[in-house]
């Protein structure tokens, strides 16, 4: 007799549902043969590779163990000694956690009722103790985008002595036309750091590769916190192979955008409030009591999501994941 064990749907960490393309897997397998060798003492080749791709100088890139690793170094440099770090709430958990670890004080600013970061309130929360302000676009957990013109106006309201982090972990899911021109912004605002990661659209979450783009002086201050031999050799191999498999990566992004739109539409058809998402997840805006009911139904169907006081974040998986989510949520509204 065979027992069927459901693997469930792992939709709580905004991972993509695909493993690396075959060419990336092959490159990684080959690289394993040199696993006895240390990587570079401090990474030089990886920032060069990313800079070449972006069309900027390597001195404007700092890499880390995921965007999380880069955030750690940013808060070590700018957020220690009781410094205030202004951020939305909810936001990516790493921001409050790492700020506290570095000895800083997170200053949480509630989202608007439509799941957007309140840029006016974020600017108003800045005091003489503020050293860092964080904005995510698309935002985690709501998927909302900060319109580039609004972000540029916001930057003008922030004193040049305060570092602003624009977290673009999900930017690869955003249509080109909707993206901020970060190099134009960086030219005007040397106090800006833009964060990116290979964990999301590029599907390399296990390998921990993220980076920040910024003015050379700021990047140098962040890089001083890098751990010697801290980036694995596989990270560089995988990024290089992903860049060479760009067409495949882009095709998957297009598939996930379709799934996301189907998930969002399906949830809205069930009468739920879901902001337009520009990332690989959808956010159900719900009062806490209703969120509890929906989360319980999802858990009962072996669907793992992340719940917040104001709703539920559901990562976009494959077609069967979307079907399963819609069926479970439907069971709670009918
Ligand atoms: N920023 C945001 C907005 C995120 O959602 C995440 C991961 N969930 C990260 C940064 C960190 O990603 P990683 O460390 O895997 O690069």
């Amino acid at each position: 007799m065979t027992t069927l064990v459901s693997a469930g749907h792992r939709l709580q960490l905004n991972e993509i549902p695909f493993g690396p393309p075959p060419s990336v897997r092959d490159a990684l397998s080959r690289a394993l043969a040199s696993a006895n060798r240390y990587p570079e003492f401090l990474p030089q080749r990886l920032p060069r590779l990313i800079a070449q791709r972006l069309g900027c100088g390597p001195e404007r890139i700092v890499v880390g163990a995921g965007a999380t690793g880069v955030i750690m170094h940013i808060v070590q440099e700018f957020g220690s000694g009781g410094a205030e770090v202004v951020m939305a709430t909810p936001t990516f958990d790493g921001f409050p956690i790492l700020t506290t670890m570095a000895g800083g004080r997170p200053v949480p600013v509630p989202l608007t009722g439509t799941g957007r970061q309140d840029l006016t309130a974020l600017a108003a929360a800045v005091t003489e103790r503020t050293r860092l302000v964080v904005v995510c676009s698309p935002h985690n957990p709501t998927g909302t985008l900060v319109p580039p013109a609004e972000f540029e106006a916001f930057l003008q309201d922030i004193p040049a002595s305060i570092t602003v982090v624009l977290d673009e972990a999900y930017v690869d899911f955003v249509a080109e036309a909707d993206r901020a021109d970060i190099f134009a912004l960086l030219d005007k605002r040397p106090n800006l750091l833009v964060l990116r990661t290979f964990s999301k659209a590029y599907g390399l979450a296990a390998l921990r590769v993220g980076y920040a783009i910024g003015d050379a002086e700021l990047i140098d201050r962040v890089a001083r916190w890098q751990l010697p031999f801290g980036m694995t050799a596989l990270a560089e191999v995988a990024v290089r192979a992903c860049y060479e498999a760009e067409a495949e990566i882009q095709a998957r992004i297009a598939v996930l955008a379709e799934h996301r739109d189907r998930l969002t539409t399906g949830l809205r058809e069930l009468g739920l409030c879901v902001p337009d998402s520009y990332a690989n997840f959808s956010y159900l805006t719900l009062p806490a009591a209703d969120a509890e009911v929906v989360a319980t139904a999802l858990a009962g169907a072996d669907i793992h999501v992340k719940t917040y006081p104001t709703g539920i974040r559901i990562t976009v998986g494959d077609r069967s994941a979307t079907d399963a989510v819609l069926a479970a949520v439907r069971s709670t509204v009918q």
Side-chain angles (χ1 to χ4, degrees), residues 65-68 71 92 136 140 167 169-170 197 199-200 208-209:
T68 303
I71 295 167
F92 168 51
C136 300
N140 175 5
D167 183 329
Y170 300 95
T197 179
S199 297
K200 305 300 177 185
R208 316 305 301 127
V209 202

Side-chain angles (χ1 to χ4, degrees), residues 78-311:
F78 301 104
S80 64
E84 290 179 354
V85 180
V86 174
M87 61 188 75
T89 187
T91 187
F92 168 51
D93 289 340
F95 285 111
I97 293 170
L98 300 176
T99 296
T100 307
M101 278 172 69
R105 206 169 74 73
V107 177
V109 175
L111 298 179
T112 68
T114 52
R116 298 169 60 125
Q117 289 156 106
D118 189 336
L119 297 187
T120 310
L122 284 166
V126 168
T127 72
E128 72 281 1
R129 290 177 300 279
T130 306
R131 301 272 314 281
L132 208 55
V133 180
V134 179
V135 173
C136 300
S137 186
H139 189 55
N140 175 5
T142 54
T144 53
L145 191 80
V146 178
E150 283 179 31
F151 183 67
E152 190 167 357
F154 166 79
L155 283 177
Q156 284 168 22
D157 289 342
I158 305 296
S161 58
I162 295 173
T163 304
V164 177
V165 170
L166 173 65
D167 183 329
E168 289 196 327
Y170 300 95
V171 72
D172 304 290
F173 297 108
V174 179
E176 293 274 355
D178 294 328
R179 294 184 196 175
D181 180 348
I182 58 150
F183 284 105
L185 287 176
L186 286 165
D187 282 348
K188 283 187 239 167
R189 301 278 155 190
N191 59 328
L192 175 65
L193 285 173
V194 179
L195 268 181
R196 302 232 176 121
T197 179
F198 287 92
S199 297
K200 305 300 177 185
Y202 284 83
L204 299 179
L207 295 177
R208 316 305 301 127
V209 202
Y211 62 96
I213 315 162
D215 180 69
E217 197 189 311
L218 228 52
I219 290 295
D220 187 52
R221 288 176 64 183
V222 177
R224 272 185 245 152
W225 292 93
Q226 282 179 318
L227 191 66
F229 301 117
M231 297 294 292
T232 74
L234 296 183
E236 182 194 336
V237 169
V239 167
R240 195 178 297 279
C242 277
Y243 281 162
E244 281 164 16
E246 192 67 50
E248 230 164 320
I249 305 269
Q250 293 305 324
R252 293 155 146 219
I253 291 172
V255 167
L256 288 174
E258 276 173 31
H259 288 330
R260 173 192 62 206
D261 295 343
R262 186 169 157 253
L263 178 63
T264 302
T265 307
L267 291 168
R268 284 180 181 159
E269 281 169 4
L270 295 173
L272 293 155
C273 177
V274 184
D276 281 335
S277 170
Y278 291 80
N280 65 329
F281 49 85
S282 294
Y283 191 74
L284 278 180
T285 310
L286 286 170
D290 294 351
E292 182 74 28
V293 172
V294 175
T296 304
L298 291 167
D302 210 5
I303 299 167
H304 306 275
V305 296
K306 188 161 160 78
T307 50
Y308 293 84
T310 51

